[in-house]
Amino acid sequence: DKPQRIRFRILDRRHALLAGDPEQDITLDARSFARIDPKIERAFITENEINFLAFPAVADSLIIFGGGYGFETLAEAAWLSRCRIHYWGDIDTHGFAILDQLRAHFGHVESFLMDRATLLACEAQWGEEDRQTLRDLPRLTPTECAFYDDLRDNRLRRNLRLEQERVGFAWVKAALTALP
């Protein structure tokens, strides 16, 4: 089997792993990723490559390109357990299912821009989810669970979906500024 790869970007130049490289777009096998310790305090995980590449600089942080379901490779990186982890997925039933799965490995993960305010602010960008997931997601917070139920039960609109790359950059920057 080919080794699992993890792609990430350092978002704070002070924690650069490669001297003189301001972009810090790095891909490592899972074992090597587990062995690094970038001394960051916060990790963001996003499923969209455009968001991964355009994510702004954030002090003491990195961003991981998640690519969908399956986080076993990240679970090997014990250093992530000491970081605040923020997951940014699509606002749809699968986005919340991926968040639930990630919390099986890192129970302290916080959702990022996966809330009702973001959805309503981006109404002009709404789309439709092809096929919803309908199972219960036990690791969601009560607020997330209520929002997920509204999505899967089609209370807002049938198969409602807001793809994360449709959230405006100004909204993203404002949300980053509001983080504790």
Side-chain angles (χ1 to χ4, degrees):
D1 290 340
K2 291 182 356 181
Q4 294 290 328
R5 314 288 291 166
I6 297 170
R7 185 176 177 194
F8 63 101
R9 289 179 51 234
I10 303 294
L11 299 173
D12 183 339
R13 290 178 189 224
R14 295 174 303 153
H15 299 284
L17 297 180
L18 303 172
D21 183 358
E23 294 302 314
Q24 298 293 303
D25 186 345
I26 302 166
T27 303
L28 295 174
D29 62 273
R31 181 176 290 170
S32 297
F33 182 79
R35 287 194 336 246
I36 66 168
D37 189 352
K39 306 290 190 240
I40 53 110
E41 296 176 8
R42 190 180 307 261
F44 295 90
I45 301 172
T46 187
E47 300 308 310
N48 181 276
E49 188 175 27
I50 292 170
N51 291 354
F52 167 78
L53 292 169
F55 208 84
V58 180
D60 299 311
S61 301
L62 63 73
I63 186 165
I64 299 167
F65 179 45
Y69 290 97
F71 295 101
E72 293 76 21
T73 55
L74 290 181
E76 296 176 27
W79 58 267
L80 279 172
S81 294
R82 68 167 168 72
C83 298
R84 290 189 76 165
I85 302 174
H86 302 274
Y87 172 75
W88 181 17
D90 294 335
I91 297 178
D92 64 10
T93 61
H94 286 279
F96 282 102
I98 294 168
L99 172 63
D100 180 78
Q101 184 187 67
L102 178 58
R103 282 191 180 138
H105 300 285
F106 300 101
H108 65 290
V109 170
E110 302 170 50
S111 60
F112 180 72
L113 294 174
M114 295 178 69
D115 54 61
R116 197 174 301 270
T118 300
L119 178 70
L120 296 176
C122 300
E123 186 173 357
Q125 303 300 320
W126 288 2
E128 188 170 303
E129 186 175 25
D130 291 332
R131 200 168 94 194
Q132 293 180 307
T133 185
L134 302 175
R135 63 186 169 84
D136 289 337
L137 303 175
R139 290 177 282 275
L140 297 184
T141 67
T143 301
E144 292 165 348
C145 190
F147 192 25
Y148 170 71
D149 286 344
D150 286 347
L151 293 170
R152 76 172 169 171
D153 296 338
N154 298 305
R155 293 180 188 141
L156 302 167
R157 193 175 92 186
R158 185 180 179 284
N159 292 10
L160 180 57
R161 175 184 203 192
L162 174 63
E163 293 176 283
Q164 60 192 265
E165 64 269 25
R166 297 192 175 275
V167 175
F169 197 66
W171 190 264
V172 174
K173 289 186 87 167
L176 288 169
T177 302
L179 287 175

